[in-house]
Amino acid sequence: MSFKFTCLLLLFSVLSFAQVKGKITDEKGQPIAFASITVENTSRGTSSNEKGEYELFNTRQEGTIYVNFQYLGYKTQRIAVLLKSEAIVLNVKMLEEEFMMADIVIKVGENLADPIIRNAIKSKDSNTKNTSKFTADFYSKGNLKLLKLPKFVSIGVNGQEEVNKIDSLNPNVIYLSETVSKITYQKPDKIKEHIVASKISGNDNGYSFNTAKETFYDFYDETINLNKRVDVKMISPLAKNAFNYYKYKLEGTFFDGTYLINKIKVIPKRDKEPVFEGYIYIVEDSWAIYGVELDALGYRMQEPIIDKLELVQNYSYQASLKNWIKNVQSIDFIGGMLGVKLQAKFSYVFSNYHFVDHFDAKTFSNELVSFDADANKVDQSYWDQHRQIPLTDEEQKDYQVKDSLMIIKNSAAYIDSLDRKNNRFKIGGLLTGYTYKNTLKGYTLSYEGLADIKSLGFNTVQGWNIGNEFKFVKTNKDKGSVTDIGAVLNYGFAEDRLRAVGTVQHLFNKIDRKKLSVTGGSTIAQFNADQPISKLLNSASTLLFKDNYMKLYNREFVNATYSQEVYNGITAEGTLEYNQRKALFNNTDYVIFNRDKAYTSNHPLDPENYTHAGFEQHHLVKAKIGAQFNFAQKYISLPNQKVNIPSAKFPVLSVNFEKAFAASDNKYQYDLLSASITQELGVSNKGEFNYHLKAGKFFGADDIAFMDYHHFNGNQTHVNLEGKYMNAFNLLPYYELSTNKAYAEIHLEHNFKGYIMNKIPLLDLLQWNLVLGYHNAITTDRNPYQEFTAGFSNIGIGKFRGLRVDYVRSLQHGVSKDGIMIGLTLLNK
């Protein structure tokens, strides 16, 4: 089938199924985007696109209906339409609303908007009571455009010569997707969504996640979470404490039919708080929401990459319910950084509501979203009947070009040709790395390269050391399985020794995540298996300050591990491991600065003992079993994958048992029972409280090897580059409290997310977050070690806010110690 013929077929199919279509403009002929179009006294409706174009589907085949055209700031149009068997073209010109002020006596100091807002707040329960449980149809469309790119950056498109044969690719649209689903919802947070159709431009195997689950922004709630990444909750203009955050101004009133609508301007009292600005429309007497036009600025959301987010909601009146329900929502935002500028538009249509008094107890489960097996394979005729918002010319072109290119790129000849081109070896690959890929057979072979900066390091045992990794990965997309075979080499120059570790790992599927891995070889290891000091940080500390905190031993081992999610939220893991340990000593005194200072020994507890490393050479076998419980875990079901979503309402519990046996000397054998519990709790708009509690007890472990002790994750560098604030201590020496008896750890932290700082004049300009913390290490043979911390996160300039600084005071044996901790939180806000 030719490309032109396909386009004609698509065009005719659209015309065949469109019942009412047209364009919505203002008096000057300018298109009105995202206007609400509904069939009166029903919940059937749609929205206009960016060009003002609309198509109304699923109406009766014949007869007269009344169609309401509604857009905030314009007069609602009620038009009678006589349906016929063929499509009807109905273009609508909307007139700007004529706002009027109520003819009432204004008392001195009285704000006309305040009593309206107070009534709306008081009426929230009554306005949501009969609309809090429903089923509905849902449609979404997402469009991400590239507006600006630095001149030194270029985006290459594989197969550009093939694209040119079809059409010229518009590089602005970098993502386009649509979703059609059936939703079942009950306030405040119960949802079941089944996705019937999912489409991503240029990807016939992808699944769009523009789901209804992520779009329930309800301004009847106290807070709105627009940025789940950092969990900053925006204050609703109708929150019970809204007057602490907003001022209101009545801009005017107008009638929609017989209903008087109040247009109220929402004005933040303080600029840096998590607040909206814009307009909210309230219906007189019922005090229901008629619509919202609210902006959220990026710095108020603590998402500096976003400049401004615009959220618009349109509500329509349901006579049978005597209430107003949301039928159209749009979210637009512009943002970027480092010279890159992006614009995103997401449009949502809720239609065919069916409200109920109650749902069956089994209606909702932990499965939030499910997909039809062929959701991403539905044909064009389906989209022609169910696409609620017409595509713009730009979007049609993007689908045509990218889908046509996809056919070419998925052909065996093209894939083989592209692989041959990319697989050509160049001599520079010895330094930069090389990857051989066979896409058709689903495997890659890779070599990291001698210049891989991650493999370079320095420690006093190996001196300068460098490594490399070789890997073979085979993927089966249909089964969701992945086989990974690799080897990591590491050579220490001062020690003049090469070590190697090999791994064979197989992930059977991505549903219950059965995984088996076998690893073995010779490696150099920290006494604390959690590796509290990174290779990079230790190298800098050693070379610049001659502080060689990392203490190492030689480990030769074979490890076999099997894990699986045995039930939703319950993951079990078992490990059998053979270890042979040998002591190591310093082999170099090299340093860049501070040459007069001597390195400490490699003995973790005796820095002046250079002849004994703290243990004798030995071997033993370890068996470990454990389980992790994510209580009330939610999930999304794809045809070949399960995406888990931990519940914020319940903690995560881990329980483990470890047994060491078959040792070269019985004294190295022991049992260890341990557990941990952790949770992140959002505290309304007052920030986030985190806790992590750990405890364990050794049995028969009086003379075990030091690396088998429980080690508390300390830090003596005053730098935290890995965001480990809830599993580590800030000033504790790495091995000072290590124990082979009973132990416990307490880690508490509250990040106010600007709740306090945003209310302090001048300090609010900094946009910092106050963070308070407490840490406690408890053992049976020492006094507890405690740390109290107070600091600030979100420190930076403009869009660059990845710095955190804490003041720390430790206390033990009545002796206190003070310090400053500097950390990066780019990935750990």
Side-chain angles (χ1 to χ4, degrees):
M1 182 182 294
S2 71
F3 177 74
K4 291 183 178 179
F5 180 79
T6 301
C7 292
L8 289 173
L9 182 62
L10 299 184
L11 176 61
F12 282 119
S13 64
V14 169
L15 294 176
S16 299
F17 290 106
Q19 296 296 325
V20 182
K21 62 182 295 185
K23 187 172 184 177
I24 305 174
T25 60
D26 62 15
E27 294 178 271
K28 298 179 182 179
Q30 296 300 311
I32 296 179
F34 308 119
S36 173
I37 304 100
T38 57
V39 179
E40 190 170 79
N41 293 326
T42 76
S43 58
R44 295 196 304 270
T46 186
S47 172
S48 59
N49 64 15
E50 292 93 328
K51 301 294 181 65
E53 301 160 341
Y54 75 94
E55 292 178 354
L56 183 60
F57 297 101
N58 299 323
T59 61
R60 298 197 310 264
Q61 289 301 311
E62 294 184 357
T64 299
I65 62 171
Y66 288 90
V67 181
N68 291 325
F69 296 85
Q70 177 187 346
Y71 188 73
L72 298 177
Y74 289 80
K75 292 182 178 180
T76 298
Q77 300 237 19
R78 180 176 182 265
I79 301 177
V81 178
L82 178 61
L83 294 178
K84 301 177 182 179
S85 57
E86 67 271 12
I88 294 175
V89 177
L90 178 60
N91 295 321
V92 177
K93 181 178 293 186
M94 300 190 74
L95 306 178
E96 288 191 21
E97 191 61 70
E98 296 177 358
F99 294 97
M100 55 186 180
M101 295 300 295
D103 186 17
I104 59 176
V105 177
I106 303 176
K107 297 180 181 179
V108 176
E110 183 178 42
N111 185 331
L112 294 177
D114 288 355
I116 298 173
I117 295 296
R118 289 194 179 96
N119 283 325
I121 294 172
K122 292 178 183 177
S123 304
K124 288 197 298 182
D125 290 342
S126 61
N127 280 322
T128 58
K129 182 177 181 181
N130 62 350
T131 61
S132 62
K133 306 176 186 69
F134 61 82
T135 62
D137 293 337
F138 174 77
Y139 167 83
S140 72
K141 180 173 71 172
N143 186 325
L144 182 63
K145 296 180 182 178
L146 182 64
L147 301 181
K148 184 181 178 183
L149 196 65
K151 293 181 179 180
F152 60 85
V153 178
S154 63
I155 295 180
V157 180
N158 290 331
Q160 184 65 48
E161 61 277 9
E162 285 83 0
V163 177
N164 291 334
K165 294 177 182 177
I166 303 172
D167 203 340
S168 59
L169 176 65
N170 183 350
N172 290 340
V173 179
I174 58 178
Y175 176 79
L176 172 63
S177 71
E178 296 177 275
T179 300
V180 174
S181 63
K182 305 284 186 180
I183 58 175
T184 303
Y185 181 73
Q186 177 175 315
K187 281 179 70 75
D189 58 4
K190 291 184 178 180
I191 186 170
K192 181 174 71 174
E193 179 174 10
H194 183 71
I195 294 180
V196 180
S198 177
K199 184 176 178 65
I200 299 178
S201 181
N203 185 355
D204 62 350
N205 285 316
Y207 293 94
S208 169
F209 280 90
N210 299 337
T211 62
K213 181 183 75 69
E214 301 296 335
T215 66
F216 275 96
Y217 302 130
D218 189 346
F219 285 89
Y220 288 117
D221 290 341
E222 297 297 297
T223 58
I224 311 294
N225 192 352
L226 293 176
N227 185 6
K228 293 181 174 60
R229 188 177 73 86
V230 296
D231 197 31
V232 172
K233 295 178 174 61
M234 308 291 286
I235 307 298
S236 169
L238 298 185
K240 292 179 181 178
N241 60 346
F243 282 93
N244 293 334
Y245 295 89
Y246 296 105
K247 295 183 293 184
Y248 302 92
K249 178 182 179 183
L250 179 62
E251 293 278 291
T253 61
F254 62 91
F255 281 95
D256 183 346
T258 60
Y259 300 100
L260 180 66
I261 313 299
N262 299 284
K263 180 182 181 181
I264 297 176
K265 188 173 184 179
V266 178
I267 307 165
K269 283 188 173 181
R270 292 170 292 272
D271 178 55
K272 299 300 187 293
E273 292 195 304
V275 289
F276 296 94
E277 62 183 44
Y279 298 93
I280 187 167
Y281 297 76
I282 302 296
V283 182
E284 188 76 14
D285 294 330
S286 70
W287 315 113
I289 296 176
Y290 175 85
V292 297
E293 290 178 314
L294 294 171
D295 296 341
L297 303 182
Y299 61 84
R300 292 175 180 165
M301 299 163 54
Q302 294 200 10
E303 190 59 87
I305 195 172
I306 294 178
D307 296 334
K308 182 172 73 170
L309 182 149
E310 301 175 355
L311 176 59
V312 177
Q313 294 179 344
N314 285 301
Y315 287 64
S316 62
Y317 185 71
Q318 294 293 295
S320 60
L321 296 169
K322 296 182 180 180
N323 211 334
W324 297 77
I325 61 171
K326 179 176 65 179
N327 60 300
V328 172
Q329 177 176 282
S330 66
I331 296 176
D332 296 359
F333 65 83
I334 293 178
M337 60 191 307
L338 298 175
V340 177
K341 201 76 169 178
L342 298 170
Q343 180 182 35
K345 291 181 177 290
F346 292 89
S347 309
Y348 313 99
V349 178
F350 300 83
S351 59
N352 297 324
Y353 281 94
H354 176 64
F355 295 93
V356 299
D357 293 328
H358 68 276
F359 284 113
D360 185 89
K362 297 181 180 180
T363 299
F364 299 99
S365 67
N366 290 323
E367 183 183 60
L368 300 180
V369 182
S370 61
F371 286 75
D372 266 2
D374 296 322
N376 59 354
K377 300 293 191 298
V378 297
D379 58 25
Q380 187 60 42
S381 62
Y382 179 90
W383 287 106
D384 293 338
Q385 296 178 66
H386 294 84
R387 178 176 284 123
Q388 294 292 321
I389 302 176
L391 299 175
T392 64
D393 293 341
E394 183 180 52
E395 290 168 342
Q396 290 181 29
K397 180 178 179 180
D398 190 70
Y399 271 138
Q400 292 165 4
V401 174
K402 290 181 181 175
D403 289 351
S404 299
L405 177 60
M406 176 187 63
I407 295 173
I408 296 173
K409 293 174 67 176
N410 287 343
S411 67
Y414 175 83
I415 292 173
D416 186 59
S417 173
L418 189 63
D419 280 351
R420 284 200 309 270
K421 178 180 178 181
N422 293 334
N423 289 340
R424 293 171 187 165
F425 180 78
K426 298 179 181 178
I427 192 66
L430 292 173
L431 292 175
T432 60
Y434 170 74
T435 298
Y436 177 89
K437 186 175 184 179
N438 189 317
T439 305
L440 292 175
K441 294 184 178 180
Y443 71 82
T444 60
L445 288 163
S446 63
Y447 153 71
E448 291 299 319
L450 296 174
D452 180 21
I453 191 65
K454 300 189 300 296
S455 68
L456 182 64
F458 182 88
N459 60 69
T460 53
V461 172
Q462 295 178 292
W464 286 104
N465 61 93
I466 191 168
N468 218 309
E469 183 176 4
F470 300 85
K471 185 179 289 188
F472 168 83
V473 179
K474 183 173 177 59
T475 303
N476 187 319
K477 292 183 179 180
D478 295 331
K479 295 181 179 180
S481 63
V482 180
T483 302
D484 189 331
I485 302 174
V488 177
L489 307 180
N490 179 264
Y491 177 75
F493 289 90
E495 193 184 21
D496 190 21
R497 178 170 177 178
L498 177 69
R499 292 179 175 86
V501 174
T503 300
V504 178
Q505 179 175 281
H506 182 71
L507 176 67
F508 292 85
N509 63 70
K510 294 182 180 179
I511 297 177
D512 63 5
R513 291 178 174 79
K514 292 186 184 75
K515 184 165 69 173
L516 175 65
S517 64
V518 178
T519 306
S522 177
T523 186
I524 193 165
Q526 295 188 47
F527 283 87
N528 183 348
D530 285 345
Q531 302 184 72
I533 182 168
S534 67
K535 177 186 288 190
L536 174 63
L537 200 54
N538 179 73
S539 298
S541 176
T542 304
L543 292 169
L544 300 179
F545 306 104
K546 217 168 187 179
D547 290 325
N548 55 320
Y549 295 122
M550 184 182 284
K551 306 304 177 184
L552 304 159
Y553 70 95
N554 189 78
R555 175 177 175 239
E556 295 177 357
F557 72 101
V558 177
N559 175 298
T561 299
Y562 178 82
S563 63
Q564 178 183 350
E565 186 179 48
V566 295
Y567 186 77
N568 178 53
I570 303 177
T571 299
E573 182 174 286
T575 297
L576 186 64
E577 179 181 274
Y578 169 80
N579 286 277
Q580 181 170 292
R581 288 89 165 254
K582 182 180 178 180
L584 297 172
F585 300 89
N586 290 347
N587 289 294
T588 180
D589 194 46
Y590 176 79
V591 71
I592 296 177
F593 300 109
N594 211 356
R595 296 179 182 274
D596 296 334
K597 180 180 177 180
Y599 280 126
T600 59
S601 73
N602 193 47
H603 194 303
L605 295 179
D606 191 351
E608 303 301 323
N609 189 336
Y610 295 89
T611 61
H612 190 269
F615 70 97
E616 299 173 351
Q617 183 174 335
H618 66 278
H619 67 257
L620 80 167
V621 178
K622 284 186 179 182
K624 303 177 186 178
I625 57 172
Q628 185 178 85
F629 301 87
N630 288 275
F631 299 104
Q633 174 181 272
K634 309 297 182 182
Y635 61 91
I636 297 173
S637 294
L638 281 76
N640 64 350
Q641 185 178 359
K642 178 171 177 274
V643 180
N644 292 327
I645 304 172
S647 172
K649 295 181 179 179
F650 298 95
V652 176
L653 171 66
S654 296
V655 180
N656 297 277
F657 176 73
E658 179 178 314
K659 185 175 185 63
F661 60 98
S664 54
D665 190 320
N666 289 340
K667 69 179 182 180
Y668 295 115
Q669 299 176 171
Y670 65 92
D671 296 332
L672 170 63
L673 182 64
S674 62
S676 70
I677 186 168
T678 183
Q679 188 176 9
E680 299 179 359
L681 290 169
V683 187
S684 184
N685 64 310
K686 298 174 179 61
E688 183 178 80
F689 175 72
N690 294 348
Y691 68 86
H692 185 189
L693 311 178
K694 299 199 296 187
K697 179 172 176 56
F698 287 88
F699 300 90
D702 291 342
D703 297 311
I704 64 174
F706 187 67
M707 64 281 293
D708 292 322
Y709 278 45
H710 173 75
H711 304 285
F712 297 91
N713 294 330
N715 194 335
Q716 293 174 259
T717 67
H718 296 277
V719 176
N720 188 336
L721 299 178
E722 299 176 340
K724 294 181 179 179
Y725 290 96
M726 295 303 297
N727 192 33
F729 297 86
N730 297 279
L731 303 179
L732 178 66
Y734 294 104
Y735 298 105
E736 183 174 292
L737 293 181
S738 299
T739 183
N740 58 349
K741 304 186 185 304
Y743 66 88
E745 293 186 40
I746 300 173
H747 301 277
L748 309 176
E749 184 175 278
H750 189 89
N751 187 331
F752 287 89
K753 299 292 177 73
Y755 178 72
I756 293 178
M757 291 291 291
N758 290 343
K759 294 176 173 58
I760 303 175
L762 296 181
L763 292 181
D764 65 332
L765 301 177
L766 298 173
Q767 301 175 47
W768 293 358
N769 294 335
L770 176 64
V771 184
L772 301 179
Y774 173 76
H775 307 268
N776 195 338
I778 303 169
T779 63
T780 58
D781 52 352
R782 296 180 183 86
N783 289 335
Y785 171 87
Q786 301 178 78
E787 287 183 351
F788 302 87
T789 65
F792 298 101
S793 67
N794 203 44
I795 300 174
I797 299 174
K799 295 180 180 292
F800 300 93
R801 294 191 166 271
L803 186 63
R804 171 170 166 170
V805 177
D806 290 271
Y807 164 75
V808 184
R809 165 159 283 197
S810 66
L811 182 65
Q812 188 181 31
H813 302 299
V815 178
S816 63
K817 183 180 178 181
D818 300 283
I820 299 295
M821 178 65 66
I822 299 174
L824 294 177
T825 57
L826 294 175
L827 300 177
N828 298 277
K829 281 195 175 185

